[in-house]
Amino acid sequence: MKAFGIVLFALASAVHGHYTFPRLIANGATAQDWQYVRKTTNYQDDGPLTDLSSEQLRCYQLAPEQGTQTMRVAAGSEVGFTVDPVMSHPGTLQFYMTQVPAGQTAASFDGSGAWFKIFSQGPTISGGKYTWPTHGSPNATVQIPQCLAPGDYLLRVEHIALHFASSVGGAQFYIACGQLTVTGSGTKTFSGVSIPSLYGETDPGILIDIFPSVPTSYTAPGPAVVGC
Ligand SMILES: *[C@@H]1O[C@H](CO)[C@@H](O)[C@H](O)[C@H]1NC(C)=O
Ligand SMILES: [Cu+2]
């Protein structure tokens, strides 16, 4: 009976274990909780966002002004977030950025501009099933495009958990934004999409059965990843 109890407990935590992205990873170091990451609405219960029409889809942030600090990072360097505790659901990892408009800072900007996608990682398909490389990972990192023009940006991480995504409204969004000042000699700026209007509830990759008998394809939601 004891072994049976442990199995039940493991199953329960796999279903109910939500997560947050509290710490920025940059310049080879990990900062404090919510030091460079805007504190998210789910900071206590770790719960997901499911309403795709909400402005919370931008940064899932608890309050507009939080005293969050801004980290200087070089274009081309590796930046990311720790996960608390881990990305415990199968899902797609994506990173977006938005350039802060003139006259504002990464600390003041509400994210109402154009967001461009710099990374997307869905499943691999092999052995007749989907496999999710980020499933169980304790961090999520990305390379800031080498060609990116210097300036203030928000970096948005998004993990779309898909274990209930076969019905409308079932996809679970786990989101956070870090505040960055990007340095370097890049010159490139990118057009993008506004949030929350970028996704629809029935988009491919949002309304999806991830347990089909034999998957053949996968399409990530949102725009294509930009390149330098
Ligand atoms: C992310 O997690 C992996 C797996 O635990 C670890 O090997 C790696 O060093 C971590 N990376 C960062 C930047 O913390
Ligand atoms: Cu969860």
Side-chain angles (χ1 to χ4, degrees):
M1 281 316 287
K2 193 174 182 193
F4 184 62
I6 289 166
V7 170
L8 275 184
F9 176 77
L11 283 174
S13 31
V15 171
H16 295 292
H18 305 309
Y19 38 103
T20 59
F21 297 96
R23 300 181 178 197
L24 190 74
I25 300 167
N27 304 310
T30 301
Q32 297 303 303
D33 282 7
W34 315 117
Q35 187 179 3
Y36 298 95
V37 179
R38 294 181 178 186
K39 190 183 244 185
T40 48
T41 303
N42 66 342
Y43 81 103
Q44 284 173 313
D45 68 9
D46 295 358
L49 179 75
T50 55
D51 177 2
L52 302 186
S53 65
S54 167
E55 274 187 16
Q56 288 271 292
L57 191 62
R58 284 181 196 156
C59 291
Y60 205 7
Q61 74 190 69
L62 185 63
E65 295 295 335
Q66 307 179 8
T68 311
Q69 296 173 49
T70 300
M71 177 67 90
R72 286 176 78 80
V73 296
S77 69
E78 193 85 0
V79 176
F81 299 81
T82 62
V83 187
D84 184 7
V86 296
M87 286 182 270
S88 54
H89 299 306
T92 296
L93 176 68
Q94 306 197 101
F95 284 94
Y96 289 79
M97 295 182 79
T98 188
Q99 187 170 26
V100 174
Q104 294 199 55
T105 65
S108 69
F109 187 43
D110 66 1
S112 57
W115 293 81
F116 50 93
K117 191 191 283 183
I118 60 169
F119 180 87
S120 180
Q121 185 176 43
T124 57
I125 301 173
S126 65
K129 63 182 181 69
Y130 287 129
T131 300
W132 305 87
T134 55
H135 196 175
S137 178
N139 56 48
T141 61
V142 67
Q143 187 185 19
I144 301 295
Q146 182 78 55
C147 61
L148 193 64
D152 274 16
Y153 290 85
L154 301 180
L155 173 68
R156 175 181 176 278
V157 63
E158 166 185 270
H159 195 241
I160 310 174
L162 297 170
H163 52 302
F164 293 142
S166 58
S167 45
V168 170
Q172 300 185 348
F173 285 70
Y174 296 89
I175 298 163
C177 290
Q179 296 179 185
L180 303 181
T181 298
V182 175
T183 63
S185 54
T187 54
K188 201 116 175 194
T189 57
F190 297 102
S191 57
V193 292
S194 61
I195 302 178
S197 66
L198 83 167
Y199 295 145
E201 299 222 308
T202 59
D203 284 1
I206 290 179
L207 180 62
I208 176 176
D209 175 10
I210 64 163
F211 308 106
S213 50
V214 183
T216 53
S217 69
Y218 168 80
T219 305
V225 172
V226 299
C228 278

